[in-house]
Amino acid sequence: MNRLVSIARQSFKRDGPPQIVLFVTRRCNAHCKFCFYPPSKTPEMTLEEYDRLSQTIGRLHWVLVGGGEPFLRDDLGEIGLLFHRNAGVRYLQIPTNGSMPDRVENIVRQICPKAPDLQFVVSISVDDTDPARHDEVRGIPGCFDKAMAAMRLLQSLKKEFPNLGSACNMTFTAYNQDRFLDIYRQAESSFPVDTLSVGLVRGKTVCDDAGQGLDMEKYRRVHEYLSRSHKRYGFFRGLEQRLARAKDIVQREMIMEIKKHKRMPLPCLAGLKSLVILETGDIYPCEMLFDRKLGNLRDFDGDFSRFWQSPPAREFRQWKKTCHCTYECAIAQSIIFTPQGFCRTLLAAMRKQD
């Protein structure tokens, strides 16, 4: 219930977004075929700059720290703690390809004891239960076995740190769509994580064929199964679990509508309720609008509040969006923070759920 209260409070936040996505590095040891942010060397923000950002962004509900491979940053744990201490972050999630279990353990041991009221989730990305196929798509020999070791390690660490959560995010692509339902079922029974989620490949991918010829009927069947899966809702109980299932149902329906009609069925709140901040300090409304740069933190001496009141940021918040993407994080905001989305979720929650 505390989670619902926290989300409700964020609905009225006006001095900045309640959630952000931080790309802390573009470096990566993988070469994933479906990646939309391929590895590169860029001038990364320093720990001091993240300190300044976390002190000027206001209260945050949720932060996702991405990349690149976030665990390549030696100061990753310190970055997470800065946002907990200075911005009051309650939920911190860091996705990883799982290829560096030792680094994962180090960061968990750095963050969890110092922030016992923070829910810290490490999400391991695995897209196939066939090790050879997974490694081939990821471009790292032995990546599957290391990811499994990272999952087992996280489950062991949970005995020490009750504020730690483990997740696996699977990406639905042209490479695995024909077998995805079987893959998910196998993962459901064998992956040692709290929750399993599924994302749809998006953006301009490294290999063009990753997102071509997608069978949305197969995607729909996967998500229908997912909404009945107890493994999907390992973080939730009672009313929260029912609402989380309903949100997933509405999100699936929206994605199907978007792919079919090429329009957003609900207002998009990207740039209002969330932002993407790259490792260079560049700020974008979301991962799919890299042609709409809003500014760079370094042009505002790292002061987010100054950026938020700048003409480009204010003008974007008035823009009536005509874009239509399937970016799940942005869609979730539309569902949670708009009256239309809230009503659709309540209606879905009142339907009979298995």
Side-chain angles (χ1 to χ4, degrees):
M1 191 60 66
N2 289 337
R3 195 191 327 255
L4 296 177
V5 172
S6 180
I7 290 173
R9 287 174 177 167
Q10 297 302 331
S11 298
F12 302 99
K13 190 174 190 292
R14 294 291 182 267
D15 58 344
Q19 53 192 44
I20 58 171
V21 176
L22 289 178
F23 286 31
V24 294
T25 185
R26 195 161 180 166
R27 291 175 287 144
C28 192
N29 58 341
H31 302 278
C32 303
K33 293 182 176 182
F34 56 84
C35 179
F36 64 86
Y37 199 64
S40 177
K41 289 185 178 180
T42 54
E44 298 175 356
M45 288 176 61
T46 65
L47 189 62
E48 290 73 20
E49 288 175 311
Y50 283 114
D51 189 12
R52 175 72 166 157
L53 169 61
S54 65
Q55 291 187 48
T56 58
I57 199 169
R59 306 296 287 181
L60 290 171
H61 169 73
W62 174 84
V63 170
L64 184 145
V65 179
E69 171 50 57
F71 285 89
L72 286 174
R73 278 200 71 135
D74 294 331
D75 55 2
L76 180 62
E78 295 170 273
I79 292 172
L81 288 171
L82 282 174
F83 281 91
H84 174 257
R85 180 170 63 248
N86 297 332
V89 170
R90 297 289 303 279
Y91 303 98
L92 176 69
Q93 182 173 358
I94 305 182
T96 174
N97 58 38
S99 63
M100 296 175 288
D102 290 346
R103 283 182 177 251
V104 170
E105 180 176 9
N106 290 339
I107 296 303
V108 168
R109 293 191 177 281
Q110 186 175 359
I111 291 178
C112 286
K114 295 179 181 177
D117 59 337
L118 171 73
Q119 182 175 4
F120 177 38
V121 178
V122 178
S123 181
I124 311 292
S125 298
V126 177
D127 313 296
D128 208 310
T129 49
D130 182 309
R133 283 172 166 162
H134 175 77
D135 293 356
E136 196 273 330
V137 171
R138 290 278 169 174
I140 307 179
C143 186
F144 181 88
D145 291 339
K146 291 176 181 177
M148 291 300 103
M151 289 184 194
R152 291 190 293 270
L153 174 63
L154 288 169
Q155 285 299 92
S156 175
L157 290 169
K158 280 170 60 67
K159 298 174 185 177
E160 296 182 55
F161 307 113
N163 56 330
L164 174 65
S166 61
C168 174
N169 184 64
M170 313 175 77
T171 304
F172 185 96
T173 70
Y175 305 129
N176 59 15
Q177 64 174 344
D178 292 337
R179 300 172 295 108
F180 202 98
L181 192 52
D182 288 337
I183 291 171
Y184 187 90
R185 286 172 173 150
Q186 292 170 24
E188 186 180 34
S189 64
S190 62
F191 284 9
V193 291
D194 299 321
T195 182
L196 280 164
S197 60
V198 177
L200 184 65
V201 61
R202 63 181 183 270
K204 181 173 175 52
T205 55
V206 172
C207 295
D208 292 336
D209 61 347
Q212 292 180 353
L214 291 179
D215 188 330
M216 294 306 295
E217 178 60 24
K218 292 176 180 176
Y219 174 82
R220 182 187 62 78
R221 289 199 295 268
V222 166
H223 266 271
E224 284 182 348
Y225 180 85
L226 181 145
S227 67
R228 299 190 299 270
S229 167
H230 293 291
K231 190 79 167 184
R232 168 71 181 99
Y233 304 99
F235 292 142
F236 305 99
R237 296 291 184 274
L239 177 61
E240 282 191 350
Q241 184 178 98
R242 193 170 189 87
L243 289 173
R245 287 180 186 272
K247 190 276 293 182
D248 275 357
I249 291 169
V250 175
Q251 181 170 291
R252 178 191 74 220
E253 292 171 349
M254 283 186 61
I255 289 175
M256 298 298 291
E257 288 180 54
I258 292 166
K259 295 294 281 187
K260 182 177 181 179
H261 300 294
K262 309 299 182 186
R263 60 178 174 80
M264 294 295 292
L266 292 178
C268 179
L269 301 181
L272 289 83
K273 291 299 182 183
S274 72
L275 286 171
V276 173
I277 303 176
L278 301 190
E279 75 286 347
T280 59
D282 287 340
I283 306 172
Y284 294 87
C286 86
E287 295 178 0
M288 298 295 98
L289 286 175
F290 281 150
D291 60 339
R292 291 298 300 257
K293 178 180 172 180
L294 303 180
N296 186 290
L297 279 171
R298 288 165 173 162
D299 295 333
F300 301 91
D301 297 322
D303 188 329
F304 182 88
S305 60
R306 283 180 55 198
F307 155 76
W308 189 248
Q309 295 304 324
S310 68
R314 296 174 70 174
E315 288 170 10
F316 183 85
R317 294 198 292 274
Q318 301 301 317
W319 179 47
K320 303 299 182 184
K321 300 183 184 69
T322 57
C323 49
H324 51 274
C325 75
T326 60
Y327 178 32
E328 287 89 355
C329 291
I331 291 175
Q333 296 157 28
S334 296
I335 295 170
I336 294 169
F337 294 119
T338 66
Q340 306 98 305
F342 182 73
C343 288
R344 287 181 67 163
T345 303
L346 286 181
L347 288 172
M350 288 188 290
R351 299 175 201 159
K352 183 179 179 181
Q353 296 183 2
D354 296 332

